Amino acid sequence: MRSLIVTGGAGFIGANFVHYWSNRYPEDRIVVLDALTYAGNQASLESVQDRPNFRFVHGNILDRTLIAKLMREESTDTIVHFAAESHVDRSIHEPDAFIQTNVIGTHNLLMAARELWLDSDDAPATHRFHHVSTDEVYGSLGVDDPAFTEQTPYAPNSPYAASKASSDHLVRAYHHTYGLEVTTSNCSNNYGPYQFPEKLIPLMIVNALTGQPLPVYGDGSNIRDWLYVEDHCRGIDLVIGKGKLGATYNIGGNNERRNIDIVRQVCAGLDRIFAENEKLSDRFPDAPAASGRKTESLITFVKDRPGHDWRYAIDATLATEELGYAPRQSFETGIRLTLNWMLENEHWWRAVMDGSYREWISKNYSDNA
Ligand code: NAD
Ligand code: TDX
């Protein structure tokens, strides 16, 4: 039985991970440590909130005293570290929070882990620090380049990617220098339930349902490798369970698509679902599909993201061969699950968008059209 601290567990992937882990390992203790930034939402944890072995702590990974106190109280033996500022566009406008949380925050966790797990008399027999990272640390690929492997040199291009690269290096160094038992996973673009509607797929769904433009950066030809979030959670489980200490594993969807094709697929999916279910037109009267128009009519090409990475692709051979990792959802099944979830959970996305998000978007993107 493990006692976990899941940092950033009220965010998109963290919340999915908590659901996944509490179903798969119901005996384990799970403590979520989350600062509830604009991207964190306790409502995403509603279904586990009342479990006796679950605890939510509203706190910041910049607070090392709190981390150490929690680790002592909970006899923590496993940290799964999701907490981060995660949106590339925000990192371009306001990089400071990315350095604070992603670099300093990660280092705080490592220092607390070292203190409690390596330098303390009552350290647990085994421990694990799992660091959740991204494919963006590897930079951008050209059309004919092979996909990123664990050997691809780091070449982060955005402040977000640079902050994540920095945190990856710190995790590696704490293993190499102090012997902290760490693993790292670098994953491609996730999508699925509970994703904050600033990221491509949920933003397009929300805008389509509310009849707003679908902003595609540049000409929409940039390529990402998409993975359904539950497959990412399963990959992390495999790395924690079977990964070599100190190792890094790439996790991907083997599913490269151009942004414009993703947006068109979301549009076609909504058109189909509206055609199948008449009630949706009453619920979402501003959606083009409610009046028989194509959702695609909302696509609007806007100014490109500065320094926009052209292509990401993950080679997950190591995780497949060593750990038995393989995604279960195809993009077609995953996007249908996501569309259905968004339609069934309107209260969730309306609530998370009530906050400062709209204000921030209008301040930073008023010149986008
Ligand atoms: P998210 O932005 O949805 O959630 C981040 C969570 O961290 C939020 O709940 C937020 O409140 C919390 N948080 C932020 N700063 C904090 C702080 N200082 N202290 C405590 N909590 C804090 O992010 P996500 O998309 O779920 O990403 C989770 C992790 O996975 C990140 O480390 C990200 O770099 C990585 N990742 C994301 C993707 C993706 O496609 N979303 C892909 C690969 C890797
Ligand atoms: O409105 C938009 N229009 C658009 O064309 C948005 C929000 C995005 N895009 C483009 C930019 C990217 O090429 O879509 C692509 C995906 O954008 P994001 O959803 O912002 O993701 P990305 O920048 O690729 O980064 C994501 O994947 C790696 C996550 O946000 C990171 O946290 C993760 O590490």
Side-chain angles (χ1 to χ4, degrees), residues 38-348:
Y38 78 95
N41 193 329
Q42 244 186 298
S44 306
L45 295 169
E46 216 177 330
S47 67
V48 292
Q49 200 74 47
D50 295 330
R51 289 199 180 198
N53 50 5
F54 176 81
R55 176 178 172 195
F56 180 82
V57 177
H58 181 196
N60 202 306
I61 58 168
L62 292 170
D63 183 348
R64 185 147 53 101
T65 312
L66 171 66
I67 300 165
K69 176 173 162 286
L70 271 181
M71 288 178 73
R72 273 196 200 92
E73 277 173 15
E74 298 287 346
S75 305
T76 304
D77 55 27
T78 304
I79 292 177
V80 191
H81 176 35
F82 293 92
E85 288 293 338
S86 70
H87 191 38
V88 173
D89 292 327
R90 283 178 187 260
S91 85
I92 293 167
H93 292 281
E94 292 164 8
D96 187 49
F98 288 72
I99 308 307
Q100 290 300 320
T101 289
N102 301 2
V103 185
I104 314 281
T106 301
H107 189 234
N108 269 332
L109 286 165
L110 289 166
M111 280 195 286
R114 182 183 163 207
E115 181 191 333
L116 274 287
W117 289 343
L118 299 177
D119 299 340
S120 148
D121 292 338
D122 54 358
T126 59
H127 64 259
R128 177 65 66 90
F129 187 103
H130 181 75
H131 178 54
V132 180
S133 193
T134 171
D135 58 1
E136 302 204 12
V137 298
Y138 298 121
S140 181
L141 293 169
V143 66
D144 293 324
D145 289 335
F148 302 128
T149 71
E150 292 78 1
Q151 274 70 50
T152 304
Y154 273 33
N157 288 323
S158 69
Y160 163 68
S163 69
K164 291 298 291 187
S166 169
S167 65
D168 293 6
H169 293 324
L170 286 167
V171 171
R172 179 191 150 89
Y174 265 67
H175 174 70
H176 192 81
T177 304
Y178 305 114
L180 197 71
E181 299 186 355
V182 309
T183 41
T184 296
S185 49
N186 293 81
C187 189
S188 59
N189 286 58
N190 285 216
Y191 66 99
Y194 301 108
Q195 186 166 30
F196 194 84
E198 64 182 348
K199 307 282 167 64
L200 181 70
I201 289 179
L203 179 71
M204 295 299 144
I205 298 172
V206 165
N207 282 12
L209 291 174
T210 52
Q212 299 176 69
L214 308 181
V216 174
Y217 298 166
D219 63 3
S221 64
N222 301 66
I223 294 169
R224 298 291 183 264
D225 177 357
W226 294 93
L227 180 68
Y228 189 67
V229 62
E230 198 180 44
D231 283 326
H232 183 187
C233 297
R234 191 173 297 108
I236 293 171
D237 179 8
L238 287 168
V239 176
I240 292 173
K242 298 194 206 168
K244 289 198 180 113
L245 294 181
T248 286
Y249 295 88
N250 281 354
I251 299 180
N254 204 12
N255 181 52
E256 285 184 59
R257 302 206 179 200
R258 296 186 312 160
N259 292 340
I260 187 66
D261 297 328
I262 292 289
V263 175
R264 289 203 176 113
Q265 197 154 345
V266 166
C267 292
L270 282 175
D271 290 346
R272 195 170 46 245
I273 294 174
F274 269 69
E276 286 164 9
N277 180 352
E278 279 173 20
K279 289 197 183 119
L280 289 176
S281 301
D282 298 332
R283 279 179 58 201
F284 302 103
D286 297 325
S291 50
R293 282 175 298 133
K294 291 244 180 240
T295 305
E296 264 194 45
S297 62
L298 292 175
I299 292 177
T300 312
F301 291 94
V302 300
K303 197 168 84 183
D304 208 353
R305 173 186 279 175
H308 196 175
D309 282 341
W310 192 67
R311 172 179 164 235
Y312 302 144
I314 279 278
D315 179 343
T317 306
L318 182 68
T320 303
E321 290 182 354
E322 227 176 73
L323 314 175
Y325 164 76
R328 290 190 186 161
Q329 298 296 339
S330 66
F331 190 71
E332 284 60 38
T333 56
I335 202 71
R336 188 160 258 261
L337 288 171
T338 307
L339 287 169
N340 287 338
W341 188 88
M342 292 291 277
L343 289 167
E344 282 159 19
N345 291 276
E346 183 185 354
H347 62 283
W348 181 89

Side-chain angles (χ1 to χ4, degrees), residues 21-33:
W21 198 274
S22 56
N23 286 332
R24 179 134 165 75
Y25 305 104
E27 303 302 316
D28 284 359
R29 173 84 172 153
I30 299 179
V31 177
V32 165
L33 173 61

Side-chain angles (χ1 to χ4, degrees), residues 349-368:
W349 51 262
R350 290 222 185 261
V352 301
M353 293 180 77
D354 276 343
S356 54
Y357 167 68
R358 280 280 155 205
E359 252 170 65
W360 188 90
I361 286 285
S362 60
K363 193 173 97 208
N364 289 292
Y365 291 100
S366 50
D367 60 346
N368 236 352

